[in-house]
Amino acid sequence: MPNNALSAQPVYVVGAGPGGLATAAALGQRGVRAVVVERSGGVAASWRGHYDRLRLHSTRRWSSLPGLPIPRSAGRWVHRDDFVRYLEDYARHHRIDLATGVTVARIDRAGPSPEGGGWVLRANGGRELHASAVVVATGHNHTPLLPDWPGRGGFAGELLHAAAYRDAGPYAGRDVLVVGAGNSGAEIATDLADGGAARVRLSVRTAPHILRRSTLGWPAQAGGILGRRLPVGLVDRMARPLVRLNPDLGEYGLPRPETGLYARVRRGAIPVLDTGRTGLVRAVRQRRVEPVGAVSSFDGGKVLLADGEVISPEVVIAATGYRRGLEPLVGHLGILDGRGGPLVHGRETHPAAPGLYFTGYTNPISGALRELARDAPRIAAAIARARRR
């Protein structure tokens, strides 16, 4: 395809979450036409589906996207509903060209070689969308991951992924096991305990580091930003006093990890940020949330734990993470790692797929929203430079 024809094509952004919207806005500011395609009926689809209790663990300042701050009225720790409204306002403010109800199933090169010129997005309804460049922003938490525990299919109780959890109301008076001690699992377990569940147990495979979300007004995120580019061992030593601000929960079944905090982060284990009066630490110390061992298998109405304990919860909520879900979309291009994540991120493109960008597929200690907000203008600048060339 001639270069002038290719440059006349829009840049397609797949996904109308914060990463996609920020990148589309940054492209527009550089005079590059961007079209955001979204499989749902509007922006922020995944955010709308999160549990009602959710507040951002990154501050309002470091959660805002380029070109429009989150209103001060949302408070320092922004609630889910306020963040959804903000994303709606962001799309309107930047006059983002949004095509909803468009499900992109596969992205192919337009030519026979990586340098063949542009991309083809194959979407529902037989549509083929031709793009000069593509930004994939379908999100880190795309496809719920439910482990294939032995006997899972025969469980006599109720089993659901945390993605389907909204509030504690349906579980009042019931015995609930929450599986997974990340931030989502910790908050859901605490929400259940506050909301009247008869018993709440938290299944822990590896005990997490627990930090206060804020100490004397200093957010934990600020430490993550300062330490992100420092040596791992140094950050681990710097983090020890912060970890010890919370009491040791070893006697309750939730001991402090021996591995350093940042060493764990580099392996993908983000610390649990505790909110104090409404947080996990208080709930565990009050024995309203009971840490137990990892789930090994199911047997009828029973759950067998790795330490040999057998329990009989009425409900199991699996806060066991998500898959990125990129394999059907770009897996055939040879640009994904062994865990299904992109080999390149931000303004970089893979040699096998020039003009194909990814944003929002990391979970950094400095805050995912902050980092994708920083990625957006860099990606836009890279695309604008490529079009000039």
Side-chain angles (χ1 to χ4, degrees):
M1 179 181 292
N3 285 341
N4 58 348
L6 187 62
S7 63
Q9 293 179 351
V11 174
Y12 277 100
V13 180
V14 185
L21 296 177
T23 305
L27 285 165
Q29 290 172 351
R30 286 164 176 75
V32 178
R33 184 189 169 210
V35 178
V36 178
V37 292
E38 166 60 42
R39 62 179 179 174
S40 72
V43 305
S46 64
W47 287 91
R48 296 173 196 275
H50 287 314
Y51 49 92
D52 294 348
R53 183 190 183 99
L54 177 68
R55 287 184 179 271
L56 301 183
H57 284 152
S58 51
T59 65
R60 181 185 69 250
R61 172 190 172 191
W62 285 323
S63 301
S64 295
L65 304 181
L68 185 69
I70 298 174
R72 291 179 62 87
S73 59
R76 192 181 199 193
W77 310 105
V78 182
H79 187 268
R80 177 204 64 187
D81 293 346
D82 290 322
F83 191 63
V84 169
R85 280 190 288 270
Y86 166 70
L87 294 180
E88 293 172 338
D89 292 342
Y90 191 87
R92 286 191 293 267
H93 177 81
H94 289 286
R95 299 181 180 179
I96 290 173
D97 189 351
L98 177 64
T100 60
V102 179
T103 302
V104 178
R106 181 181 170 102
I107 299 174
D108 288 315
R109 301 184 186 93
S113 69
E115 295 78 24
W119 296 90
V120 178
L121 288 72
R122 308 193 188 280
N124 54 332
R127 284 173 281 198
E128 293 188 353
L129 310 174
H130 293 264
S132 57
V134 178
V135 181
V136 181
T138 52
H140 189 273
N141 296 341
H142 184 270
T143 305
L145 172 61
L146 191 63
D148 189 19
W149 291 298
R152 186 191 78 184
F155 179 53
E158 181 181 352
L159 172 63
L160 66 150
H161 190 273
Y165 178 85
R166 293 296 173 268
D167 61 64
Y171 311 101
R174 303 175 75 184
D175 184 331
V176 186
L177 172 68
V178 179
V179 184
N183 277 292
S184 293
E187 289 195 353
I188 289 173
T190 307
D191 192 43
L192 287 162
D194 293 343
R199 187 174 189 179
V200 181
R201 283 173 282 207
L202 180 64
S203 173
V204 182
R205 180 174 298 280
T206 304
H209 283 285
I210 303 176
L211 292 177
R212 293 182 180 179
R213 185 175 65 179
S214 178
T215 303
L216 299 176
W218 177 263
Q221 182 186 8
I225 293 170
L226 291 174
R228 190 179 180 200
R229 301 194 183 280
L230 295 176
V232 173
L234 175 60
V235 179
D236 283 346
R237 290 192 294 274
M238 292 168 59
R240 284 174 193 156
L242 296 175
V243 171
R244 290 180 180 138
L245 288 174
N246 280 318
D248 187 354
L249 301 176
E251 65 177 290
Y252 302 94
L254 201 60
R256 288 191 182 121
E258 296 182 2
T259 308
L261 183 147
Y262 198 38
R264 292 278 302 277
V265 168
R266 294 293 293 269
R267 299 173 192 167
I270 298 296
V272 169
L273 297 182
D274 189 77
T275 57
R277 292 180 62 187
T278 60
L280 178 67
V281 171
R282 186 182 180 93
V284 168
R285 295 185 75 189
Q286 293 175 342
R287 301 191 185 277
R288 295 184 298 117
V289 172
E290 309 167 44
V292 297
V295 171
S296 177
S297 62
F298 288 77
D299 182 10
K302 301 182 184 301
V303 178
L304 285 65
L305 304 180
D307 59 6
E309 184 179 1
V310 179
I311 60 177
S312 301
E314 299 171 74
V315 183
V316 175
I317 301 175
T320 46
Y322 295 79
R323 293 190 180 94
R324 295 170 180 87
L326 291 172
E327 289 85 355
L329 198 64
V330 297
H332 57 288
L333 298 174
I335 57 173
L336 300 181
D337 62 23
R339 296 182 297 174
L343 291 169
V344 293
H345 197 268
R347 62 186 168 192
E348 303 296 328
T349 62
H350 196 278
L356 183 61
Y357 300 83
F358 296 87
T359 185
Y361 295 96
T362 61
N363 193 19
I365 195 172
S366 51
L369 290 171
R370 176 184 182 269
E371 297 308 322
L372 62 82
R374 288 161 60 87
D375 272 344
R378 296 168 180 169
I379 293 171
I383 291 173
R385 284 195 300 269
R387 289 168 74 93
R388 288 196 298 270
R389 288 197 299 267

